[in-house]
Amino acid sequence: MASYVLRKTIRRLPGVVIKAVPKPHPEITEGFQARQKTGEICRERGYQSCLIVTDQTLFSLKFHEIIVESLEENGIKAAVFHDIHSEPTVGIVEAGEAAALACGADCVIALGGGSVLDASKMIVSGLRFHHLKAKSLMHKFLYVPHKSLPMISVPSTAGTGAEITVGAVIKKSDEGAKGSTVIVGLNIVHVILDSELTVNAPAGVTAACGIDALSHGLEGVVASVHVPDADMKESMECVRLVLEHLPIVLKTPDCEASRLAMSRAALYGGNAINEQLAGYVHAFAHAIGAQYHIPHGAAIALSLLPVMRYQKEACLSRLAELAVYCGLAEEQAAPETAADNLMDALDSLIQTCDFPDRGAFIPQEDYPLLIKRITDDSINYSAPVVFSRAEISALLDEINGRKENGDVHGD
Ligand SMILES: [Fe+2]
């Protein structure tokens, strides 16, 4: 009870804190093979030597080569560091810093998914403290005086929003836990959205990433943080784009226009995380995902509808406004009807994604641990409500009893 009252009292604090963190406002370049323009972008910015950071898969697919050629054509030195794997450690970050120092990099180009982007954020920040071990920089907040080295994000997935978010998740050792750091002074100068990178993503990855992006926009729209209209519009546009274009890319994977729209949605979702934080959909997904090794997007798909429906009354007018924005209700519609239309559209979208049915996967004995983790995690967010332990338990029941396609067992 004491913890519930405390959480209710401090629930607006994360929103106040995140407002004080300066956010990157990168220029955007987009299109099929848009990364061909990297050299031109870097020449105009006056860079002379760039380190491309990528992972082994993208490296073996030679996706970095267009960037190398483009840099060299513009008279810029290029080096490649391709040792990032799915859960980057501080050791990898230090190796990346060494590669950047060895080539005298004045810019890092991050080509990849969330892991590459997050590792690159720590590399460009760590270079300002290269006499220190990367591990010693893994605090809740990392203040980088005079900004980090410039970074250009070239995301290879449309989901995490890591191409623009100020947070980085890195493991403190091979066996150690992941740590999340908010970087104050992160200097992301440009984002290149290249549909060639996402066009061949498997349907499962496309769906999971798309639902993740949608959840960032959605949790932003209902967040308790007050933001300027432009940020709220981006969060709403994120949801609208995913509702419209995710079904298209699942049916027609090579539709370049819709692939780009999904990349834009992910970027707007990243802005939502930066400005409005996330909420209980993420708190549930993190706890369930970590405990049962469920990928983030699939875990989001499990928690999204139960959580949003449960907190619907607390954010009815925002949901109604979003429904109208997405063309799911008339402006004159009753808020309850508009919000229900939105919930139905989300339900139908998740069904389209065809995530596997997990059945009842949460043993009763795990509930206390999950409730604690969800409660602890939720303190970092800006949800419109504060759930009691009993409410979290009831929602776990619903998630546990429901199929990922939106049906409830016993209904
Ligand atoms: Fe997410």
Side-chain angles (χ1 to χ4, degrees):
M1 185 63 188
S3 122
Y4 177 74
V5 173
L6 179 67
R7 283 184 293 126
K8 261 194 111 106
T9 310
I10 64 166
R11 77 191 182 99
R12 291 188 193 275
L13 193 59
V16 173
V17 172
I18 200 68
K19 274 189 174 204
V21 175
K23 317 298 186 318
H25 293 283
E27 281 184 50
I28 314 296
T29 297
E30 60 178 36
F32 187 77
Q33 290 198 339
R35 66 193 191 285
Q36 268 178 343
K37 295 180 184 150
T38 314
E40 205 181 310
I41 292 165
C42 290
R43 179 169 47 77
E44 282 170 8
R45 292 184 174 277
Y47 305 145
Q48 294 177 345
S49 177
C50 294
L51 178 72
I52 301 164
V53 175
T54 190
D55 62 31
Q56 283 155 357
T57 308
L58 289 172
F59 183 76
S60 63
L61 291 169
K62 303 186 191 301
F63 279 146
H64 64 289
E65 287 187 350
I66 291 181
I67 300 178
V68 172
E69 283 162 22
S70 154
L71 289 168
E72 288 176 349
E73 276 166 18
N74 282 275
I76 298 164
K77 247 174 76 183
V80 184
F81 177 75
H82 56 86
D83 286 343
I84 309 291
H85 49 71
S86 61
E87 294 195 328
T89 59
V90 286
I92 298 271
V93 169
E94 283 169 3
E97 285 176 28
L101 287 170
C103 70
D106 47 17
C107 171
V108 165
I109 298 162
L111 167 69
S115 303
V116 167
L117 293 159
D118 281 4
S120 299
K121 291 174 200 171
M122 287 307 295
I123 291 170
V124 292
S125 305
L127 284 165
R128 298 293 192 223
F129 308 90
H130 63 262
H131 51 289
L132 295 176
K133 289 266 178 209
K135 195 174 181 176
S136 68
L137 306 177
M138 292 298 301
H139 302 297
K140 203 153 187 150
F141 289 89
L142 169 63
Y143 172 64
V144 186
H146 312 300
K147 288 191 177 177
S148 72
L149 200 72
M151 168 172 153
I152 295 177
S153 299
V154 192
S156 63
T157 57
T160 65
E163 57 271 29
I164 195 175
T165 53
V166 288
V169 178
I170 301 289
K171 280 175 86 173
K172 290 181 181 168
S173 66
D174 280 334
E175 297 77 33
K178 288 181 194 170
S180 177
T181 300
V182 172
I183 302 169
V184 182
L186 181 64
N187 189 17
I188 298 175
V189 293
H190 213 110
V191 176
I192 300 175
L193 304 178
D194 185 340
S195 52
E196 192 190 32
L197 300 172
T198 57
V199 88
N200 292 315
V205 172
T206 299
C209 290
I211 293 298
D212 187 27
L214 175 133
S215 71
H216 300 152
L218 189 59
E219 294 218 277
V221 170
V222 301
S224 60
V225 186
H226 182 76
V227 292
D229 289 350
D231 290 317
M232 184 57 93
K233 172 98 187 293
E234 284 201 3
S235 299
M236 295 210 283
E237 183 65 0
C238 165
V239 176
R240 191 194 71 77
L241 286 170
V242 177
L243 282 169
E244 181 179 342
H245 293 279
L246 184 53
I248 298 175
V249 292
L250 289 173
K251 210 169 167 190
T252 319
D254 58 353
C255 177
E256 283 167 28
S258 287
R259 286 289 185 184
L260 268 183
M262 288 302 297
S263 294
R264 229 174 293 134
L267 182 68
Y268 294 156
N271 187 65
I273 297 174
N274 272 350
E275 301 294 343
Q276 296 160 306
L277 300 170
Y280 274 105
V281 173
H282 272 78
F284 275 78
H286 287 157
I288 291 167
Q291 186 71 9
Y292 307 109
H293 308 291
I294 300 174
H296 182 64
I300 289 283
L302 280 164
S303 62
L304 193 139
L305 274 168
V307 169
M308 290 309 297
R309 282 187 171 136
Y310 197 85
Q311 62 188 15
K312 189 179 77 175
E313 292 306 321
C315 44
L316 197 59
S317 61
R318 293 267 182 90
L319 292 173
E321 200 185 326
L322 179 59
V324 172
Y325 182 85
C326 295
L328 298 166
E330 299 289 336
E331 229 164 296
Q332 312 86 307
E336 187 79 33
T337 309
D340 283 344
N341 290 357
L342 177 65
M343 294 301 129
D344 290 348
L346 296 172
D347 196 350
S348 148
L349 181 71
I350 291 172
Q351 288 193 43
T352 305
C353 290
D354 206 20
F355 289 108
D357 176 8
R358 290 179 197 276
F361 64 99
I362 308 175
Q364 202 65 36
E365 60 266 28
D366 288 358
Y367 272 45
L369 175 71
L370 292 173
I371 291 169
K372 181 177 182 330
R373 285 186 180 165
I374 291 163
T375 303
D376 290 351
D377 198 20
S378 71
I379 290 171
N380 300 311
Y381 300 134
S382 55
V385 289
V386 176
F387 290 153
S388 66
R389 290 176 57 85
E391 287 172 316
I392 294 173
S393 179
L395 280 164
L396 283 172
D397 278 345
E398 195 181 339
I399 291 167
N400 202 22
R402 58 181 292 118
K403 298 175 185 174
E404 276 186 62
N405 66 8
D407 298 335
V408 175
H409 286 271
D411 265 14

